[in-house]
Amino acid sequence: MPKILYCHCQYAQVVPKDVKETVLRKLCESGVAFDAVADLCEMAARRDPALAQLSASGEVKIAACFPRAVKGLFHQCGADLAADKTEVLNMRTLRAEEVVARLAAEDLRVNIPMKGGTIAE
Amino acid sequence: MPIKSESTLRVVLYEGDGAAPLDDSFAAMTALLERGYAVTRTTSGGSVAPQTRGSLLVLGKFSDGRAPLAESATADVSVRFHDIAGQDAAGITALVEKERDTTGAAKHGEWKPWFPVIDYDRCTNCMQCLSFCLFGVYGVDDESRIQVQNNDNCKTNCPACSRVCPEAAIMFPKYKAGPINGDLVSSADLQREKMKIDISALLGGDVYSMLRARSEKAQSRFSKERDEGKALAERQKCLVKLAAAGDIPAEVLMSLPSPEEIARRAEEAKAKAAAALAAQRTP
Ligand code: SF4
Ligand code: SF4
């Protein structure tokens, strides 16, 4: 079962509050073990060594924001995420139920963009 | 003062063997996250990231109300336990704050984490961002590759350098809209020339000489103004158009250094970029 990392995006209002709350509440109710951080951006800015611990721990599902941004933040911190082991769930665009369902699912749908995330026309 | 490279205190809400489930782990978790901590919830189901260094504070409702006494797991990790039976979220937070003071872990919340993040899949290392930024946010690594070096020098809510990047390679994760927020880049976004023209048309082709001119004009006009409140309002009005076009917050433009200082810093950044480009060309 992939590990779970939840980002609370504490220092901005870009992730809808109800989505954050529902996802966190469901995680707490689920009885599953997980990691939560206040703000991945803040940790990346400080080059927090904890990010390397999180990225080096195998398959992971990250509930945060856009996969391209999350990839860049970990890279900035010298803690590259493994593209074949990471699924990022975007709480800015997905509904809370969708995020919760993906966190609960046993499979991993890797989705970090590899070529700069250009939309094919 | 630049932010320090400090580790976040990791708090473990322990609900595994030898401990009872917490009464309201959601409330405790939320309160701790709002204070900037990293919080791990452990149960008998699932696994979490390991701890290889730093401080770990383990909280739980332990059997008999007695927390384990282990002080240190390895030389690099310090572990402390506390029993939190009967404590509410506020009590738990107070306990953690007290512990944080003794561990020397990072303090949070004094700075909004706003800074550029480079998408290296897109970046061509052209150095335009480095020569544009007046605040020394960018630098180069040992291999002359562009890098964000001084995150907290960045002006909060100002995404101007992302507009300058010809490859749409600069993201601000906390920005409101794509592709700057990290959303996928469409071909429309890639018609960056349009965006650039919008800005440079408004600024007369040179961002900084335009800012300089505006600042000088504003200074001479507003120095005659007795009513400071009115002066401020006027100044803000005249910056609105500029701010809207580049999406640069008026406060950022208002807080720009003196025209001489702007010129000096622009020269410095340009020289840094030129040196990095020259180093790239040298095999
Ligand atoms: S990574 Fe995304 S969700 Fe997390 S703090 Fe940064 S902007 Fe917010
Ligand atoms: S302006 Fe864009 S492409 Fe050029 S070095 Fe900066 S991030 Fe890379």
Side-chain angles (χ1 to χ4, degrees):
Chain A
M1 186 83 180
K3 293 186 180 61
I4 292 173
L5 170 61
Y6 162 89
C7 177
H8 199 57
C9 202
Q10 175 61 26
Y11 304 112
Q13 279 81 47
V14 291
V15 173
K17 198 164 181 275
D18 57 324
V19 175
K20 281 197 300 195
E21 263 179 33
T22 306
V23 171
L24 185 60
R25 189 181 289 279
K26 294 286 177 198
L27 276 172
C28 288
E29 287 169 2
S30 72
V32 75
F34 66 97
D35 282 298
V37 296
D39 196 293
L40 273 177
C41 286
E42 198 240 11
M43 291 174 88
R46 269 189 293 101
R47 312 292 189 258
D48 194 318
L51 286 193
Q53 275 171 196
L54 293 164
S55 69
S57 62
E59 290 191 339
V60 62
K61 292 185 185 184
I62 304 176
C65 57
F66 291 96
R68 201 162 72 90
V70 174
K71 178 186 178 181
L73 284 165
F74 274 83
H75 178 85
Q76 193 175 98
C77 212
D80 279 324
L81 288 165
D84 59 340
K85 290 187 180 143
T86 309
E87 174 174 354
V88 178
L89 300 158
N90 185 352
M91 293 192 290
R92 290 181 76 161
T93 58
L94 293 172
R95 286 181 300 118
E97 302 75 54
E98 295 173 300
V99 178
V100 171
R102 282 309 307 148
L103 290 175
E106 290 199 3
D107 65 315
L108 185 81
R109 297 184 189 161
V110 298
N111 65 347
I112 288 188
M114 293 306 292
K115 292 196 179 88
T118 306
I119 302 169
E121 295 290 308
Chain B
M1 197 175 73
I3 44 166
K4 281 187 268 163
S5 166
E6 287 167 327
S7 197
T8 300
L9 176 61
R10 187 176 180 194
V11 181
V12 177
L13 298 179
Y14 182 78
E15 297 180 85
D17 295 343
L22 300 180
D23 302 327
D24 192 349
S25 57
F26 172 72
M29 182 74 89
T30 304
L32 292 170
L33 291 173
E34 286 175 354
R35 295 290 182 115
Y37 295 104
V39 190
T40 296
R41 193 265 200 109
T42 57
T43 62
S44 36
S47 59
V48 295
Q51 179 85 7
T52 50
R53 55 195 280 196
S55 300
L56 205 58
L57 181 60
V58 185
L59 310 178
K61 283 166 68 179
F62 296 99
S63 314
D64 312 328
R66 283 215 302 272
L69 286 174
E71 277 283 309
S72 177
T74 69
D76 296 327
V77 183
S78 114
V79 187
R80 296 164 84 101
F81 293 86
H82 274 282
D83 189 84
I84 50 166
Q87 299 255 34
D88 62 3
I92 294 171
T93 312
L95 175 95
V96 172
E97 297 272 87
K98 216 167 119 199
E99 281 291 328
R100 197 262 325 275
D101 288 343
T102 64
T103 60
K107 279 195 179 152
H108 310 272
E110 283 156 9
W111 170 68
K112 175 175 174 178
W114 174 271
F115 53 87
V117 176
I118 297 172
D119 180 343
Y120 286 96
D121 293 328
R122 310 194 67 86
C123 172
T124 56
N125 219 26
C126 72
M127 300 295 157
Q128 295 216 32
C129 49
L130 192 152
S131 55
F132 174 82
C133 178
L134 281 181
F135 302 100
V137 171
Y138 295 93
V140 292
D141 65 13
D142 295 345
E143 282 149 17
S144 299
R145 181 119 196 121
I146 190 78
Q147 220 180 28
V148 174
Q149 287 181 344
N150 299 304
N151 298 55
D152 51 338
N153 276 6
C154 189
K155 297 290 164 194
T156 302
N157 296 337
C158 174
C161 59
S162 68
R163 305 271 188 211
V164 170
C165 172
E167 307 297 336
I170 298 179
M171 300 174 279
F172 284 85
K174 293 190 192 302
Y175 188 68
K176 56 182 185 285
I180 295 174
N181 60 13
D183 200 353
L184 297 177
V185 182
S186 70
S187 56
D189 297 321
L190 280 173
Q191 290 168 357
R192 304 292 294 177
E193 288 316 308
K194 187 180 163 293
M195 273 178 165
K196 282 168 76 187
I197 287 163
D198 282 348
I199 297 175
S200 52
L202 190 82
L203 299 180
D206 175 347
V207 178
Y208 294 121
S209 58
M210 184 66 179
L211 289 177
R212 257 196 317 272
R214 276 182 182 260
S215 168
E216 273 158 12
K217 219 163 109 194
Q219 263 171 22
S220 61
R221 173 140 40 108
F222 298 118
S223 56
K224 292 179 200 109
E225 197 56 75
R226 290 243 172 92
D227 179 346
E228 281 189 13
K230 203 172 153 205
L232 191 68
E234 276 295 311
R235 190 182 290 203
Q236 270 163 349
K237 209 169 94 194
C238 105
L239 289 170
V240 163
K241 208 177 151 204
L242 180 62
D247 209 1
I248 304 169
E251 309 89 78
V252 172
L253 298 178
M254 302 278 287
S255 67
L256 280 171
S258 69
E260 298 72 33
E261 181 62 12
I262 289 180
R264 192 189 65 72
R265 290 197 206 171
E267 278 311 312
E268 215 175 85
K270 234 189 254 172
K272 251 203 213 169
L277 286 172
Q280 275 175 51
R281 274 181 236 113
T282 324

